Amino acid sequence: MKQFLLVIFLIQIVRAEAQTSASSVADSLYVIGNYSNAINEYSKVGGLSSALQIARSYNAVGNYEKAITQYQYIVEEDVDHQLAQLELGKLLLKVNRFEEAKSVFANLTNVNTDNPEFQYYLGEVYKELNKADESLVHYKNAVSLDSTHLRSLFQLAKHYTIKQERDNALKYILEGLAYYENDVSLINLHALVLFNDAQYEKAIPLFERVLALGEDKSYVFEKLGISYNKNWEFKKAKEAYAILLKRDDTNSQTYFDLASVYQKESKLDSAKIFINKAMAVQKPIFANGYNQLAYIAREQKDFKIAFKFFEMAYQEDKSDARIYYNMATTYDQFGSNLQKKLGYYENFLKHYPNEHPFYYETARKRISELKEEIHFAKE
């Protein structure tokens, strides 16, 4: 009997050693990315640990359905296997199976209420389901559990930046930057919040820092160009726009913005050149270009040309009341026909009755004056 038990014990030792050896081979294959052969070796070993590695291997090679099936098998066998559930939930989120992912992460947050990562991923699921209020709750839960949870802080900051809720956005941005001052995504959001708040001087060094940290994106140069222009740093604005035009010389807005810089410098001929370039690449509406050319002509006291360009802009975009108002005021400056002047102002009030109070009052007052002038002219 003792000999029999000894034999059984020795067999178990041999089997354990064989499993350990097979597991080691499978692990070594997995580590170097030889996933298909690793799956075969893990299959020989068996057990939930091997099943988890098989699921990870299928995930790594992009066979997501088999990976999901393997994860689900593990969870069925061990309902408390939180790591398998976490990886399953992340994969379901990745393949847009949001309702299933929500079920997994909701379960994890119920089982383990102190884990900020579970809260974060539940927030991600709700974000994908376009349920912003629910997603914010879980991002905030994650931050309350871990004040340094950068991904949750970023999502909160991004949400409030888009909504242009300045104070809320800054709250989460500054909390994140207090933990990691070189987080380029948060620095970028900080710059955008200040930019949206017209604090261009404060936004400039932040955008410059974003560039220094390697975020060499066109939108950064675009915002910098505008900020430099607003801050009267014309040389730097031109440099930013020059970089943008090297990358894309078909963007009409860049030419218009560059023209604005030259216009501020009173280099009106150069401004005209860039407006015309903008219009050459602009499709299909030219209203903006004609409008800017009209303003330049008016600065040059060439009211007839200004009126012509305002008229052309109006033909392109009749929804913009300001264009028609500028037509009326410009003709008023050079025209001699009182009835025609009166007609422009009356048409303005007729077609754009709900415009800015200043425009309305100015037009109304001018109509009264013109009627009086016409009356005395007749006498």
Side-chain angles (χ1 to χ4, degrees), residues 203-364:
I204 286 170
L206 293 174
F207 282 126
E208 290 174 339
R209 194 168 166 210
V210 167
L211 290 175
L213 289 169
E215 190 74 1
D216 188 19
K217 299 290 179 64
S218 293
Y219 78 89
V220 180
F221 287 102
E222 177 196 341
K223 302 296 185 189
L224 257 178
I226 295 170
S227 299
Y228 285 139
N229 188 14
K230 296 287 187 180
N231 205 43
W232 297 81
E233 297 182 58
F234 301 131
K235 182 180 178 183
K236 288 184 176 180
K238 290 175 189 175
E239 290 169 355
Y241 290 131
I243 291 170
L244 283 174
L245 289 174
K246 280 183 181 178
R247 296 180 177 187
D248 180 8
D249 61 359
T250 64
N251 189 332
S252 62
Q253 190 58 51
T254 305
Y255 289 112
F256 281 130
D257 290 340
L258 191 52
S260 172
V261 176
Y262 283 104
Q263 195 171 345
K264 270 191 177 179
E265 289 184 306
S266 297
K267 297 178 180 178
L268 302 182
D269 289 337
S270 296
K272 287 182 191 177
I273 290 170
F274 285 107
I275 292 170
N276 284 317
K277 284 185 177 181
M279 294 169 68
V281 299
Q282 189 179 40
K283 298 176 184 178
I285 297 174
F286 297 96
N288 191 18
Y290 291 138
N291 209 35
Q292 282 193 250
L293 286 170
Y295 280 120
I296 289 174
R298 202 157 66 175
E299 279 189 56
Q300 295 174 321
K301 308 299 182 187
D302 195 340
F303 298 113
K304 284 187 179 181
I305 294 296
F307 178 79
K308 175 186 172 185
F309 281 127
F310 280 131
E311 204 170 30
M312 292 167 73
Y314 177 69
Q315 291 304 316
E316 292 288 340
D317 184 7
K318 295 184 179 181
S319 66
D320 192 334
R322 290 172 299 176
I323 296 175
Y324 196 90
Y325 177 80
N326 284 325
M327 280 176 58
T329 56
T330 302
Y331 183 81
D332 199 1
Q333 287 180 285
F334 79 91
S336 58
N337 189 322
L338 295 178
Q339 286 289 352
K340 196 170 181 180
K341 291 183 182 184
L342 178 63
Y344 278 121
Y345 285 114
E346 287 180 333
N347 281 334
F348 175 78
L349 293 186
K350 177 182 176 182
H351 295 298
Y352 308 101
N354 299 315
E355 272 310 302
H356 192 282
F358 173 78
Y359 295 152
Y360 181 87
E361 288 302 320
T362 303
R364 192 182 62 79

Side-chain angles (χ1 to χ4, degrees), residues 82-135:
Q82 292 185 27
L83 182 56
Q85 290 183 68
L86 173 61
E87 293 182 15
L88 171 61
K90 289 164 71 174
L91 182 52
L92 290 168
L93 182 61
K94 181 177 182 178
V95 298
N96 301 331
R97 289 164 62 170
F98 302 127
E99 289 296 338
E100 293 173 76
K102 183 178 76 171
S103 177
V104 171
F105 287 119
N107 179 63
L108 283 171
T109 55
N110 288 331
V111 171
N112 189 339
T113 57
D114 295 330
N115 190 317
E117 198 74 352
F118 298 162
Q119 293 287 345
Y120 165 76
Y121 278 109
L122 191 51
E124 289 288 278
V125 171
Y126 278 117
K127 182 184 74 173
E128 294 297 338
L129 290 169
N130 296 316
K131 295 183 177 180
D133 291 341
E134 289 90 337
S135 70

